[in-house]
Amino acid sequence: MSKFSQKSFSLRQALAYACRILAANGHNDTVLGHVSYREPEANTFWMKPSEMGLDEVTPETLIRVDLDGKVIEGELPLHLEFPIHSEIFRARPEITCVVHTHPMHSIAFGALEQPLRPLSHEGAQFSPPDVPRFTLTSNLIKTPELGKQVQNCLGGAPACLLKNHGIVTAANTIEGAVIAAINLERACQIQLLAAACGNYSWSCDEEALAKQQTHFGTKQLQNLWKYHCRKVDSITNPSFKDWES
């Protein structure tokens, strides 16, 4: 396996898929937005570099970063908002993947002062309780202090909305964080569509909580992840599984 270990390659391969999957599902914003992935409780993580779109990422373009923002491996530059990732990883050793993107419907919904309701299965992943909102600033999260504030806002939730900015998701698996980002964007889109037509209904708390247990388990997330990987292969044919440096 070339100059990278098998474990390192597997992490890079999965992270490259994550970036491409998000790009194919409404999360691309030119070269903005980023995803990170690490081994459990490790003090370094692989991350999408800046100056590159989510849809352009391959395993060889990723960079490895420590919790203080020092690039350990890779030649491409680091995103200024790395503290979103480093501070979540620092506070929660069980988390292995963090997503920060700028999906259109999530940004629009996050600017409204109304709760996200479980109108759809996807919405039930986040409500009840309501998805948390980070309102301290709409600017870039460039400092450890702001990164800690984002982590505090996220808490144990699968996702939070950064008002007038974007979203953050975090999970103990890469499929969990990526599917949460896709589901949050779809939930926001569906509620915006329903609200534009007038009054709308949503699942009661009991049903929504039941959906959280039945629709977003490990097996379901893995099946969705595999589907999205197949879809990316069919659209872009990145041949990540055959990649060698």
Side-chain angles (χ1 to χ4, degrees):
M1 172 59 67
S2 68
K3 62 182 179 181
F4 299 112
S5 69
Q6 179 64 49
K7 182 177 288 187
S8 170
F9 170 73
S10 297
L11 289 172
R12 286 178 163 214
Q13 183 184 46
L15 182 52
Y17 266 108
C19 292
R20 297 279 183 125
I21 288 168
L22 289 165
N25 285 274
H27 290 256
N28 218 22
D29 183 13
T30 63
V31 299
L32 305 179
H34 25 90
V35 190
S36 60
Y37 190 31
R38 68 166 177 175
E39 296 176 41
E41 302 191 22
N43 291 322
T44 62
F45 54 93
W46 293 98
M47 185 176 180
K48 170 196 169 292
S50 66
E51 301 182 3
M52 175 173 287
L54 289 165
D55 57 323
E56 299 178 301
V57 173
T58 65
E60 60 187 328
T61 59
L62 298 167
I63 57 177
R64 187 163 68 94
V65 185
D66 70 15
L67 296 180
D68 295 320
K70 180 181 179 181
V71 177
I72 305 299
E73 291 186 49
E75 303 299 325
L76 296 173
L78 175 66
H79 278 282
L80 294 175
E81 290 190 302
F82 78 88
I84 293 175
H85 305 262
S86 61
E87 296 310 314
I88 292 174
F89 287 141
R90 198 189 305 272
R92 301 180 62 188
E94 78 281 7
I95 295 297
T96 62
C97 181
V98 176
V99 173
H100 169 55
T101 56
H102 306 147
M104 179 172 60
H105 300 95
S106 298
I107 294 173
F109 185 83
L112 305 177
E113 295 186 0
Q114 60 178 270
L116 182 65
R117 303 292 192 183
L119 274 70
S120 62
H121 294 334
E122 295 89 353
Q125 183 175 6
F126 309 101
S127 175
D130 189 17
V131 61
R133 283 173 169 80
F134 179 78
T135 61
L136 187 61
T137 180
S138 64
N139 210 337
L140 298 181
I141 310 300
K142 297 190 296 183
T143 67
E145 291 73 23
L146 283 174
K148 290 174 184 175
Q149 292 297 324
V150 171
Q151 153 57 27
N152 291 339
C153 175
L154 179 67
C160 69
L161 295 168
L162 308 185
K163 190 173 182 181
N164 306 120
H165 184 164
I167 70 168
V168 172
T169 69
N172 59 5
T173 63
I174 193 167
E175 57 264 34
V178 171
I179 299 304
I182 293 171
N183 285 349
L184 181 57
E185 170 65 358
R186 182 169 170 83
C188 290
Q189 180 183 14
I190 289 171
Q191 187 160 334
L192 288 169
L193 287 171
C197 296
N199 294 329
Y200 55 91
S201 63
W202 56 86
S203 298
C204 67
D205 286 359
E206 183 180 9
E207 284 192 343
L209 290 170
K211 288 182 180 182
Q212 289 179 12
Q213 298 300 315
T214 59
H215 287 63
F216 308 107
T218 300
K219 183 63 175 176
Q220 291 87 343
L221 292 176
Q222 288 176 346
N223 287 339
L224 290 171
W225 169 260
K226 291 175 182 178
Y227 163 77
H228 285 294
C229 286
R230 294 193 302 270
K231 186 177 178 181
V232 162
D233 279 340
S234 69
I235 295 172
T236 65
N237 191 28
S239 300
F240 292 156
K241 54 183 173 293
D242 299 324
W243 176 86
E244 291 184 2
S245 63

